[in-house]
Amino acid sequence: YGLNEKFIVLFPESRRSEKTWPHFQVLAKRLMTRFGCVVCVSGQIQDDQFGNCVDLRGKLSLDEIPTLIKSACIVICNDSAPLHIASALGVKVLGLFGPTNPKSYGPYPQSGNDFELIQSKTARIEDLELSEALGKIDHLMSR
């Protein structure tokens, strides 16, 4: 991927719109400033919403995704396949949950130091606060 430094990967998409957190663009900007590292965005939907990120959307095949995840210092995603891939590979991951319950759909095993989960109290993913996500990311990055 041409990345020779530590990087964070965002997977902002979900096949279900109610599982798509709308604050990924703002988060990307904050991460670059806060940690001074490269932020990559992966998925399929290509648009101009992630200006200064390494945009890998639509450029990777499905079998390349685990390699990207394994190389990341942290993965941030909705309740989706990348969450489970990162967990299985032992990569630090922040999982964002809206209408689904992380006890049923979260990473396995349910305990470990490599992941943080945020569950919306209203079951609406858009109600998850950016500040809470940043706090969880700070915690993961310090481990």
Side-chain angles (χ1 to χ4, degrees), residues 45-64:
I45 300 170
Q46 295 173 308
D47 55 31
D48 294 331
Q49 297 179 5
F50 290 92
N52 292 328
C53 296
V54 175
D55 193 348
L56 299 173
R57 293 173 293 168
K59 298 177 182 165
L60 301 177
S61 63
L62 189 57
D63 62 336
E64 291 175 300

Side-chain angles (χ1 to χ4, degrees), residues 76-110:
I76 304 164
C77 56
N78 304 308
D79 165 23
S80 59
L83 171 80
H84 303 289
I85 294 169
S87 178
L89 294 173
V91 175
K92 294 176 184 178
V93 62
L94 171 61
L96 306 170
F97 286 79
T100 53
N101 185 335
K103 289 184 178 160
S104 300
Y105 298 101
Y108 183 83
Q110 289 284 319

Side-chain angles (χ1 to χ4, degrees), residues 2-137:
L3 298 167
N4 296 322
E5 54 192 281
K6 74 175 187 173
F7 62 94
I8 295 172
V9 179
L10 307 180
F11 288 91
E13 299 171 20
S14 175
R15 284 192 263 166
R16 293 175 44 194
S17 61
E18 70 272 16
K19 290 172 48 173
T20 303
W21 191 52
H23 306 294
F24 273 104
Q25 295 84 8
V26 176
L27 177 66
K29 291 176 187 170
R30 296 270 179 90
L31 293 173
M32 285 184 273
T33 302
R34 194 178 205 123
F35 298 109
C37 64
V38 173
V39 176
C40 299
V41 181
S42 189
Q44 295 302 312
I45 300 170
Q46 295 173 308
D47 55 31
D48 294 331
Q49 297 179 5
F50 290 92
N52 292 328
C53 296
V54 175
D55 193 348
L56 299 173
R57 293 173 293 168
K59 298 177 182 165
L60 301 177
S61 63
L62 189 57
D63 62 336
E64 291 175 300
I65 297 295
T67 302
L68 174 68
I69 290 172
K70 184 67 178 167
S71 301
C73 63
I74 187 172
V75 171
I76 304 164
C77 56
N78 304 308
D79 165 23
S80 59
L83 171 80
H84 303 289
I85 294 169
S87 178
L89 294 173
V91 175
K92 294 176 184 178
V93 62
L94 171 61
L96 306 170
F97 286 79
T100 53
N101 185 335
K103 289 184 178 160
S104 300
Y105 298 101
Y108 183 83
Q110 289 284 319
S111 62
N113 289 329
D114 292 335
F115 66 85
E116 291 280 350
L117 306 174
I118 303 174
Q119 167 72 54
S120 171
K121 293 171 182 63
T122 65
R124 294 169 33 101
I125 199 162
E126 58 268 22
D127 293 337
L128 294 178
E129 296 289 333
L130 179 63
S131 60
E132 186 176 5
L134 286 167
K136 297 284 187 180
I137 295 164

